[in-house]
Amino acid sequence: MKNIFVFIFALFVIIICIPMLLIQGCDVHKPKVVKEPIVESEPVVRVYMHETGEIKLLSLEEYIKGVVAGEMPAAFQMEALKAQAVAARTYAVSRMNAYGKDGHPAHKGAELCDSVHCQVWLSKEKLRKLKSDNWMKDYWPKIEKAVEETKGLIMTYEGEPVKQPLFHSTSGGKTENSEDVFAAWVPYLRSVDSPYEERAPHLQDEQIVSAKTFIDKIKNKYSDCNINSYKLDSLKVLERSEGGRVLKLKVGNKIITGRELRELLGLRSANFKIDVEGDNIKFITSGYGHGVGMSQWGANGMAERGYKFDEILKHYYVGVEINKMK
């Protein structure tokens, strides 16, 4: 009788208790889902919060307001803010279409996140901490207006939502073809002039690197590089893109890309010139960012000259249309 009781108890533990413990253990690793106030008539987006590990459920338009606040200076012209809102909404919709209920592989359960991996998103609570009371009073209503006046609008190409509405701070006068920066050819991400960036703070910058630092970084990154001299005969730009960025650069016996050197040295742009000054190397950069898609400072310059948000978007994204999301 005692053996039967032990056998039944063991079965109970194996069949009922252990699976329950395993399930509970798995739940510990699931991100907590936090539901913000939702507007019933709007689509809902799931946004992974890197700082807390939570997933927030937000109304699409409320999410777009936080992205515009995080990605573009609120002091910009209204039409530039509207252009940013449409670009941000287009990106969100493309992610929703691409990843559905499972979410992005990098943050399962959520199509989007709050960092530059997706789009920078800032809550009103965080904005209150980062900005002044005057900023919230003067600029948050402006952002709300930009989003509300473009509600539901996205960019489409050949009838489908644009998948890569890329943007950057400053092009340096001309944007880039997508394949010259990210390898993939995208029809609407073509190189176009961006002439109205004269007020951009990083239209042109200089960064000085000591010869020793430069050589050490190159050798640490590329062990097969034989560079021992920092003279210009060891550094030579071999090829530039249509937008002016360095595609290929000779460094000693090695050929590297301008993008690789930009990342290695922390340059603002891969559109640079090289000037040797004594024991230092000066890099003169044009623009800030990867240079593909919409230049934010260029968009603001266009807005200052009377261009509307749809004209700005159609300039920087070739062949797109502006339509209500379905």
Side-chain angles (χ1 to χ4, degrees):
M1 191 72 171
K2 183 178 180 182
N3 290 338
I4 294 173
F5 175 78
V6 171
F7 177 73
I8 293 172
F9 179 76
L11 281 178
F12 174 78
V13 170
I14 293 168
I15 296 172
I16 304 296
C17 297
I18 291 177
M20 287 181 66
L21 288 170
L22 289 173
I23 291 170
Q24 289 174 352
C26 291
D27 287 343
V28 170
H29 300 290
K30 288 183 179 178
K32 179 182 177 183
V33 177
V34 179
K35 187 175 181 180
E36 297 290 311
I38 302 295
V39 179
E40 294 297 331
S41 60
E42 290 182 15
V44 174
V45 295
R46 297 168 300 169
V47 186
Y48 177 76
M49 305 287 121
H50 282 277
E51 190 174 323
T52 63
E54 298 174 340
I55 292 175
K56 282 195 176 185
L57 274 64
L58 300 164
S59 293
L60 175 60
E61 300 301 320
E62 286 304 308
Y63 166 73
I64 300 305
K65 292 172 187 176
V67 173
V68 175
E71 291 283 8
M72 179 174 272
F76 273 16
Q77 296 290 311
M78 178 59 71
E79 294 302 310
L81 293 170
K82 288 182 181 180
Q84 184 70 62
V86 175
R89 188 180 297 108
T90 303
Y91 181 83
V93 169
S94 73
R95 281 298 183 102
M96 292 164 71
N97 291 342
Y99 298 109
K101 66 178 182 179
D102 295 328
H104 191 280
H107 34 75
K108 291 182 179 180
E111 307 96 332
L112 298 153
C113 69
D114 62 347
S115 78
V116 291
H117 174 260
C118 297
Q119 303 182 115
V120 174
W121 179 84
L122 297 174
S123 67
K124 287 177 73 174
E125 291 73 21
K126 194 157 192 175
L127 284 166
R128 288 190 183 97
K129 293 178 182 178
L130 294 174
K131 310 289 186 179
S132 66
D133 290 339
N134 286 337
W135 189 97
M136 292 299 299
K137 179 182 176 182
D138 296 338
Y139 290 123
W140 182 251
K142 186 179 176 183
I143 289 170
E144 287 186 311
K145 182 178 180 182
V147 174
E148 288 164 2
E149 290 188 359
T150 61
K151 184 176 181 178
L153 293 179
I154 62 171
M155 288 185 287
T156 62
Y157 184 82
E158 295 184 345
E160 297 295 326
V162 163
K163 294 179 181 179
Q164 299 182 58
L166 302 181
F167 53 86
H168 57 280
S169 172
T170 312
S171 76
K174 195 167 188 176
T175 67
E176 295 290 340
N177 293 315
S178 59
E179 67 272 19
D180 289 334
V181 179
F182 300 115
W185 182 87
V186 181
Y188 46 82
L189 296 177
R190 301 293 86 208
S191 177
V192 299
D193 290 333
S194 185
Y196 307 127
E197 300 179 346
E198 66 277 357
R199 294 203 299 112
H202 301 296
L203 183 59
Q204 191 169 88
D205 273 327
E206 294 182 359
Q207 182 169 325
I208 296 175
V209 181
S210 74
K212 183 181 184 308
T213 297
F214 177 78
I215 292 172
D216 286 347
K217 286 193 173 186
I218 289 291
K219 286 189 170 184
N220 285 337
K221 177 74 174 178
Y222 309 102
S223 59
D224 57 339
C225 183
N226 69 353
I227 185 168
N228 290 305
S229 169
Y230 60 92
K231 301 301 182 184
L232 280 181
D233 59 357
S234 297
L235 309 173
K236 186 177 181 181
V237 173
L238 301 177
E239 185 180 353
R240 289 186 181 271
S241 67
E242 187 176 343
R245 281 160 176 76
V246 174
L247 294 178
K248 294 180 181 179
L249 175 76
K250 177 179 176 290
V251 182
N253 65 326
K254 193 165 183 66
I255 307 299
I256 66 173
T257 68
R259 182 181 178 185
E260 288 173 329
L261 190 65
R262 179 200 173 198
E263 292 173 354
L264 186 64
L265 299 179
L267 303 177
R268 295 195 184 277
S269 167
N271 186 344
F272 56 79
K273 296 178 182 177
I274 305 170
D275 188 13
V276 174
E277 298 181 338
D279 292 331
N280 294 315
I281 305 171
K282 180 163 69 175
F283 293 89
I284 305 164
T285 57
S286 294
Y288 188 12
H290 53 64
V292 181
M294 183 176 70
S295 161
Q296 293 173 314
W297 277 92
N300 194 53
M302 289 183 71
E304 288 175 334
R305 288 160 176 82
Y307 288 90
K308 300 301 182 184
F309 75 92
D310 56 331
E311 295 174 306
I312 294 170
L313 292 169
K314 288 179 180 180
H315 173 73
Y316 284 108
Y317 304 98
V318 177
V320 304
E321 298 294 334
I322 313 299
N323 293 305
K324 279 278 188 182
M325 56 183 289
K326 296 177 182 179

